[in-house]
Amino acid sequence: MTESMRRSDEYEYEYGNPTGHGSPQGPYAQQPSHSAPVNPEWPPPPSYEPPTAPAGTPQPGPAAHKKRTRGPVAMLAAVAIVAAAVGGGTAYAFQELTGKDTAASAGTTTAVVPTGKRGDVAAIAAAVSPSVVEVQATLANGSSTGSGVIITSGGEIVTNNHVVSGASSVKVRTSDGTTYPAEVVGTDSSKDLALVELKGASGLKTASLGDSSGVQVGDTVVAIGSPEGLTGTVTSGIVSALDRDVTVSTDENQGQGQDGGDGQWPFQFGGRQFNGDTGSSTTTYKAIQTDASLNPGNSGGALIDASGHVIGINSAMYSSSSQSSSSSDAGSIGLGFAIPVNTVKSDLAKLRAGSTS
């Protein structure tokens, strides 16, 4: 009996006054929530346990808690996967276009003109000039000088077929004055296009190829090339007309004489012959007409829109100097043509495959 009472007192002392100070006796002594009160006249303390749900109510278990916690994470992961898929698809499309790791599509590799500088010739020239080169071809009966556009950082250059046609060797000079030996990879005389690849080049600045389907008559354009060997010459004008039928010769020896450049390359437009006779072997393509000054040596260079995207490859121009020795008659008369860049892009796979048509 005594032992029982002593243990009860000890229990009350330990739990009724956790600090161990003061008397544990009396009605105000704290009681543990899980034990009966010392004085049965005092009601038990309120329970702080979570209310028990009625029988049959589903209880949230650990799995449900995890599911709620991971919901936002799962959503973020899904968004990341979708974004990666879209980005990957876009990159794949660009690589399919160029066949290289470095794409030359609009807005991918070349810093184009800022919105506030749109249409500013100086800004366009600064952005695109490093991507335009001079092409020098050695022929059996002389030489040819034209221009080209860098489309991959490893040194793929798009130019005109008539600039390199029949060449025994080709050299390319970049805007910084570096000269590279080059080889002709493929040609397409039906579109007057050729693909040249530099040897030992890397880290070149590529042009941003635009979309010629959106070009409109009256749009501001800039032409960059190497007229008469003057590398990096810039001229400007507008788009004069679209879908002009331009007929050029497919004869590799046509009009290419000793140091003749490409100024004598003949073409036909509107039933008239320019720069000589095109001969019997010809091809016709749809061209962008421009009044931007084009002169011998501009062939293969870039025609650029107000945002700095290449929309065409300059290919034919009337040079009155071929008709007269008078200096007053020499130079551009504002009649030039460019191959639409969409035609170029659609022809790249064929050129890379080594076509010699």
Side-chain angles (χ1 to χ4, degrees):
M1 179 73 176
T2 305
E3 181 68 15
S4 175
M5 290 179 63
R6 186 181 65 77
R7 290 178 178 174
S8 175
D9 291 344
E10 290 175 353
Y11 184 84
E12 181 181 0
Y13 181 84
E14 292 173 1
Y15 291 93
N17 191 346
T19 64
H21 300 291
S23 172
Q25 305 297 328
Y28 297 100
Q30 295 181 3
Q31 304 296 328
S33 60
H34 58 274
S35 62
V38 175
N39 189 340
E41 294 181 2
W42 289 89
S47 173
Y48 292 99
E49 296 290 332
T52 303
T57 302
Q59 298 296 322
H65 178 70
K66 286 185 178 181
K67 185 174 182 181
R68 290 197 303 271
T69 304
R70 293 173 56 191
V73 177
M75 181 178 296
L76 290 175
V79 171
I81 292 172
V82 172
V86 173
T90 304
Y92 175 78
F94 288 154
Q95 291 174 15
E96 281 296 295
L97 168 65
T98 64
K100 299 289 181 179
D101 291 338
T102 303
S105 299
T108 62
T109 59
T110 300
V112 294
V113 179
T115 302
K117 293 287 186 177
R118 179 181 170 85
D120 186 310
V121 176
I124 295 170
V128 187
S129 288
S131 302
V132 180
V133 300
E134 178 182 299
V135 179
Q136 302 169 344
T138 300
L139 310 172
N141 59 344
S143 64
S144 173
T145 300
S147 305
V149 178
I150 302 172
I151 62 169
T152 62
S153 60
E156 281 190 327
I157 309 292
V158 169
T159 186
N160 286 141
N161 173 62
H162 74 257
V163 171
V164 297
S165 181
S168 58
S169 66
V170 177
K171 291 183 179 180
V172 171
R173 184 169 65 173
T174 57
S175 63
D176 63 1
T178 304
T179 299
Y180 294 91
E183 62 179 359
V184 178
V185 176
T187 60
D188 185 353
S189 60
S190 67
K191 296 182 177 67
D192 196 15
L193 291 172
L195 183 68
V196 175
E197 187 165 19
L198 309 188
K199 298 178 181 179
S202 63
L204 301 180
K205 187 173 183 180
T206 61
S208 179
L209 304 186
D211 182 2
S212 52
S213 67
V215 176
Q216 298 181 2
V217 173
D219 283 351
T220 298
V221 289
V222 171
I224 302 178
S226 300
E228 304 294 355
L230 301 174
T231 305
T233 295
V234 178
T235 58
S236 64
I238 63 168
V239 173
S240 303
L242 298 171
D243 298 324
R244 292 297 202 193
D245 287 328
V246 175
T247 300
V248 297
S249 174
T250 58
D251 183 356
E252 66 182 32
N253 296 315
Q254 182 73 37
Q256 292 188 335
Q258 179 70 31
D259 296 323
D262 73 337
Q264 306 300 315
W265 190 257
F267 70 96
Q268 180 179 330
F269 169 70
R272 297 177 58 193
Q273 298 278 354
F274 298 92
N275 303 341
D277 188 358
T278 56
S280 59
S281 178
T282 62
T283 184
T284 301
Y285 57 83
K286 299 289 185 181
I288 299 171
Q289 182 181 336
T290 179
D291 69 349
S293 296
L294 301 177
N295 292 288
N298 269 115
S299 286
L303 187 68
I304 308 152
D305 67 12
S307 297
H309 299 135
V310 176
I311 57 169
I313 299 297
N314 299 320
S315 57
M317 69 290 300
Y318 172 62
S319 177
S320 60
S321 61
S322 64
Q323 308 295 329
S324 173
S325 61
S326 171
S327 60
S328 62
D329 294 331
S332 171
I333 61 170
L335 185 61
F337 301 92
I339 301 166
V341 74
N342 287 5
T343 300
V344 177
K345 291 191 286 188
S346 67
D347 209 34
L348 277 179
K350 179 179 178 180
L351 296 174
R352 286 196 173 108
S355 170
T356 55
S357 62

